[in-house]
Each structure stands twice: as C-alpha cells, then as structure tokens.
Amino acid sequence: QLQASGGGLVQAGGSLRLSCAASGRTFSAYGMGWFRQAPGKEREYVAGVSCSGSSRYYLDSVKGRFTISRDNAKNTVYLQMPSMQPEDTAVYYCAGSVYCHISSASDFNYWGQGTQLTVSS
C-alpha cells in the first residue's frame, strides 16, 4: 500500500514536500514515482526514482525545480517542491513499479490515493 501525504494550500513561490509511505512489500525493490492530474487534464508523470535512488526522471516543466528522493530505510519517497506556481495545482499521486529502472509512465503497477495540492496566485 502507498499512502501519500503533505498536500494542501500554498501561495505561489512557496514550498511543499510530499511524502509517500509504502507498506507490505520490499520497498527497495521498487522504482517509485509521482504523478499529477489537474482538473480537466490528463494525468502526467512528474518524477521517478530508481530503486537505489541513483537515477531520476523529471517532467520538463519541473526539471530543475522539483526533487524526488527516497529513504529505503523509512520506506518513503518524497517530492520536494520549491517555488511553486499555480500551474502546479493538481492531485498528486505516488506510484510504484516492479522495475527498478523506469522507462516510461506505463511501467508503474501500484498506486496510492491522491493528495490535493493547490497553489494560489
């Protein structure tokens, strides 16, 4: 199971960190990622991290701004989001993959519930 937390309301320019705690499986054997879905838009793959944390993927629009990380000892993956903008408003989902190195968004097999993030201008 994947349990995301940390969403809420933040002003533009503010920062937030999402967390996703995993249970029931060997966390370190799973690639992890974050997706988001804004109202009226398709879900998009925001960031991914390999099993060891050695490789990461970022959506172009968040590259250089968001940071995905994981703590395998705590079975948790994080998404650090500084300098947030209104266009970052969405429901954010964490996801797990049986693949350590993720090739695409379709590699994800497990999903957590979403957490709403709203950025006010």
Side-chain angles (χ1 to χ4, degrees):
Q1 291 184 345
L2 300 174
Q3 183 74 32
S5 61
L9 176 64
V10 62
Q11 289 187 335
S15 299
L16 208 63
R17 187 179 77 164
L18 301 180
S19 300
C20 177
S23 62
R25 299 178 186 269
T26 305
F27 180 73
S28 60
Y30 291 81
M32 298 298 296
W34 289 95
F35 288 72
R36 68 185 181 187
Q37 187 166 21
K41 295 186 178 181
E42 293 187 354
R43 185 176 61 190
E44 59 183 1
Y45 177 30
V46 176
V49 62
S50 61
C51 291
S52 67
S54 61
S55 65
R56 296 177 175 88
Y57 160 86
Y58 293 101
L59 181 68
D60 282 347
S61 61
V62 307
K63 196 175 296 183
R65 195 160 55 95
F66 289 6
T67 301
I68 187 171
S69 62
R70 65 188 296 161
D71 186 338
N72 287 343
K74 296 182 178 179
N75 288 5
T76 303
V77 61
Y78 304 97
L79 186 66
Q80 186 71 45
M81 303 177 289
S83 304
M84 301 205 69
Q85 301 303 315
E87 53 266 33
D88 295 319
T89 295
V91 177
Y92 283 72
Y93 300 88
C94 66
S97 171
V98 295
Y99 303 106
C100 269
H101 292 277
I102 299 157
S103 299
S104 71
S106 61
D107 285 347
F108 288 92
N109 318 97
Y110 305 99
W111 297 88
Q113 92 295 349
T115 184
Q116 175 69 49
L117 174 59
T118 302
V119 184
S120 63
S121 57

